[in-house]
Amino acid sequence: MIYLITGGERSGKSSYAQNLALQLSDTPIYVATARKWDSDFQNRIDRHQQERDERWTNIEKEKYLSEIDFSGKVALIDCVTLWLTNFFVDHKNEVTLSLEEAKKEFLSIAQQENATLIIVTNEIGMGVHAETHIGRKFTELQGWMNQFLASNADEVVLMVSGIPVKIKG
């Protein structure tokens, strides 16, 4: 089962996804995809970690999610935007290569037996038009990946102001 939770910044995606994971399992896995870019980002990571108690198994994995055994488990992957950023930066802002590699990683985890994946992503193309060329390229990458994930998901939920709106499934 694949759930995709999407929405804008501070829309309630992570809280919704964490509650869903705990409804589905007493011992879910939390996969953090963030790189620790600076002290502000470390503070954000620390805040998110404090939101989770001892029921969670925490795994930090910047790119290669296929190295994790999800078989028979409930896993929350938070989030696609930070995960894609890692591919995008490592591939020197090359959209096609980043998208191909991310899709390949997703397909490898989606095929694991009896796995329940809850994937958090951002709708970054719904706001202000990106100011820079690189920003516009990343918005394209994010949009194409979101479309790919949604087409493969069993259920898609759009978070709007803390309210879940089921749009698929």
Side-chain angles (χ1 to χ4, degrees):
M1 181 73 174
I2 298 171
Y3 298 87
L4 181 65
I5 314 303
T6 189
E9 187 174 349
R10 301 289 172 255
S11 62
K13 301 178 302 289
S14 293
S15 296
Y16 178 83
Q18 287 179 33
N19 288 333
L20 176 60
L22 289 170
Q23 288 172 19
L24 298 172
S25 174
D26 292 332
T27 56
I29 298 171
Y30 185 95
V31 180
T33 60
R35 278 192 184 154
K36 296 169 186 157
W37 299 99
D38 56 29
S39 61
D40 285 339
F41 211 85
Q42 182 63 55
N43 290 338
R44 181 177 172 178
I45 291 169
D46 293 344
R47 188 185 78 245
H48 275 285
Q49 287 174 341
Q50 291 167 3
E51 294 172 356
R52 295 184 303 277
D53 58 27
E54 69 282 345
R55 294 174 288 182
W56 294 88
T57 298
N58 295 302
I59 299 173
E60 293 184 16
K61 191 59 90 170
E62 292 181 6
K63 286 172 60 177
Y64 299 108
L65 303 181
S66 61
E67 295 174 355
I68 302 169
D69 180 10
F70 293 109
S71 299
K73 299 172 184 146
V74 172
L76 167 54
I77 300 169
D78 197 358
C79 76
V80 170
T81 305
L82 297 173
W83 183 59
L84 284 176
T85 298
N86 299 332
F87 290 108
F88 193 63
V89 169
D90 291 352
H91 292 304
K92 297 180 178 28
N93 308 328
E94 186 5 81
V95 173
T96 303
L97 188 55
S98 299
L99 184 62
E100 286 174 6
E101 195 169 358
K103 283 181 175 182
K104 181 181 172 188
E105 280 298 304
F106 169 76
L107 289 173
S108 69
I109 64 171
Q111 295 170 358
Q112 290 190 28
E113 206 169 311
N114 229 7
T116 299
L117 304 174
I118 304 166
I119 303 167
V120 175
T121 192
N122 288 285
E123 290 296 334
I124 64 172
M126 295 175 77
V128 177
H129 190 70
E131 191 172 309
T132 66
H133 177 68
I134 290 174
R136 290 187 294 276
K137 285 174 69 173
F138 186 80
T139 301
E140 290 177 3
L141 171 61
Q142 179 78 61
W144 287 326
M145 189 65 187
N146 284 351
Q147 289 180 49
F148 178 76
L149 292 170
S151 71
N152 284 280
D154 300 293
E155 185 172 306
V156 180
V157 173
L158 172 66
M159 294 299 297
V160 180
S161 301
I163 299 170
V165 181
K166 188 185 281 191
I167 57 175
K168 180 182 177 183

